[in-house]
Structures are given as structure tokens and as C-alpha cells.
């Protein structure tokens, strides 16, 4: 079953691979017997479903989780249930890719108004005068 990100982006099953390992944390005696932690590997660089601009933003957002081969590796061992960990890790991947699809806002540089510059300088002069009057009285 493909993983739906947006209307245009769907991730096929062959792009995702999961491996399971023993998790640290909650689980009692069961923690040493059951492999409940999930490691999800998404081949982002080879994915035909992701546009190039999304891949570049995704690479920045993923940070250390991005491998040299162009894959994203996510891990989850929050719960005792393997199925719940699988759901959580897939939700995280969807959230990460959705964040990469949003274009960052372009910042328009602005100059301070003439009035604001004059008010700032006037306030500095007033403060300077207050400090000058703090000296010893002679």
C-alpha cells in the first residue's frame, strides 16, 4: 500500500524498507525477547515521486539522518508494540516530507523609517544625559 504525502506525492512500497531490532526502554522482561524497535529506510534520492526542489529541502531537514547513498534513516522505539512503532515512524516520515514540500517565505529587506531612526537617536541622547547626571555632586 503506497504512502500518501500530498495529492501529487505518493511513496511506493519499494522505496521503503523496515528492519526490526530489540529496543531499550519500557518492556520489562519482554524487552530482551521481542524486536519492537523499528528502523525505516527511505530511498529519497532515487525516488521518482519526489521533485528535485523537495529533495534538496528534505536533505537539509533530515540532517544527520541523510546517508551518503541518499537515503533517510529514521528509528522509533517509543512503545512496546512493534505495530505502533511502525505507525509512528511512518507518520514522522510523512511529516518530514510535508515540511519539505512547503516553500520557505522570501524575506523582503526593509529600511527603518525616518521617524523611527529619529526617535531612537533622541532616546539615546536622553539616556546619555541621565547617565551624565549620575556623577559626584561638587
Amino acid at each position: 500500500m503506497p504512502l500518501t504525502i500530498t495529492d501529487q506525492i505518493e511513496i511506493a512500497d519499494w522505496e521503503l524498507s523496515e528492519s526490526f531490532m530489540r529496543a531499550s526502554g519500557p518492556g520489562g522482561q519482554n524487552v530482551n525477547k521481542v524486536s519492537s524497535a523499528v528502523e525505516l529506510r527511505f530511498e529519497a534520492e532515487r525516488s521518482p515521486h519526489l521533485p528535485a526542489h523537495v529533495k534538496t529541502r528534505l536533505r537539509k531537514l533530515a540532517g544527520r539522518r541523510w546517508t551518503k547513498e541518499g537515503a533517510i534513516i529514521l528509528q522509533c522505539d517509543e512503545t512496546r508494540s512493534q505495530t505502533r512503532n511502525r505507525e509512528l515512524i511512518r507518520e514522522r516520515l510523512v511529516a518530514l516530507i510535508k515540511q519539505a514540500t512547503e516553500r520557505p517565505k522570501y524575506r523582503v529587506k526593509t529600511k527603518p523609517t525616518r521617524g523611527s531612526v529619529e526617535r531612537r537617536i533622541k532616546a539615546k541622547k536622553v539616556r546619555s544625559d541621565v547617565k551624565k547626571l549620575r556623577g559626584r555632586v561638587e
Side-chain angles (χ1 to χ4, degrees), residues 4-53:
T4 305
I5 310 296
T6 62
D7 296 336
Q8 296 85 17
I9 301 174
E10 267 191 0
I11 296 174
D13 286 336
W14 66 267
E15 299 175 77
L16 300 173
S17 60
E18 294 175 333
S19 59
F20 305 100
M21 59 203 128
R22 291 188 181 138
S24 62
Q29 294 174 341
N30 208 35
V31 79
N32 298 323
K33 296 184 280 186
V34 180
S35 298
S36 60
V38 181
E39 182 180 271
L40 180 75
R41 184 179 176 95
F42 170 53
E43 300 295 336
E45 194 66 46
R46 296 186 336 184
S47 175
H49 303 100
L50 292 179
H53 65 275

Side-chain angles (χ1 to χ4, degrees), residues 90-105:
R90 284 175 179 255
E91 289 170 8
R92 284 188 201 156
L93 179 65
V94 168
L96 189 67
I97 296 172
K98 276 187 181 176
Q99 190 179 353
T101 58
E102 296 170 3
R103 291 178 185 253
K105 289 185 180 179

Side-chain angles (χ1 to χ4, degrees), residues 28 58 62-63 70 83 91 100-101 118 134:
L58 190 59
T83 54
E91 289 170 8
T101 58
E118 289 172 0
R134 285 186 187 157

Side-chain angles (χ1 to χ4, degrees), residues 17-128:
S17 60
E18 294 175 333
S19 59
F20 305 100
M21 59 203 128
R22 291 188 181 138
S24 62
Q29 294 174 341
N30 208 35
V31 79
N32 298 323
K33 296 184 280 186
V34 180
S35 298
S36 60
V38 181
E39 182 180 271
L40 180 75
R41 184 179 176 95
F42 170 53
E43 300 295 336
E45 194 66 46
R46 296 186 336 184
S47 175
H49 303 100
L50 292 179
H53 65 275
V54 174
K55 287 181 186 177
T56 55
R57 274 194 227 113
L58 190 59
R59 185 177 197 155
K60 287 180 185 174
L61 288 171
R64 289 185 354 195
R65 297 173 290 189
W66 186 278
T67 64
K68 290 179 183 176
E69 298 86 37
I72 295 175
I73 297 177
L74 301 171
Q75 292 180 342
C76 181
D77 63 349
E78 289 178 16
T79 66
R80 295 181 186 192
S81 169
Q82 187 184 79
T83 54
R84 182 66 185 133
N85 283 337
R86 287 179 74 188
E87 291 169 5
L88 286 171
I89 205 72
R90 284 175 179 255
E91 289 170 8
R92 284 188 201 156
L93 179 65
V94 168
L96 189 67
I97 296 172
K98 276 187 181 176
Q99 190 179 353
T101 58
E102 296 170 3
R103 291 178 185 253
K105 289 185 180 179
Y106 179 72
R107 185 186 179 281
V108 179
K109 292 181 182 177
T110 58
K111 286 177 70 175
T113 62
R114 186 173 168 187
S116 69
V117 171
E118 289 172 0
R119 284 190 299 273
R120 183 179 64 86
I121 291 172
K122 183 181 175 193
K124 286 172 71 108
K125 285 180 182 175
V126 168
R127 189 79 187 135
S128 172

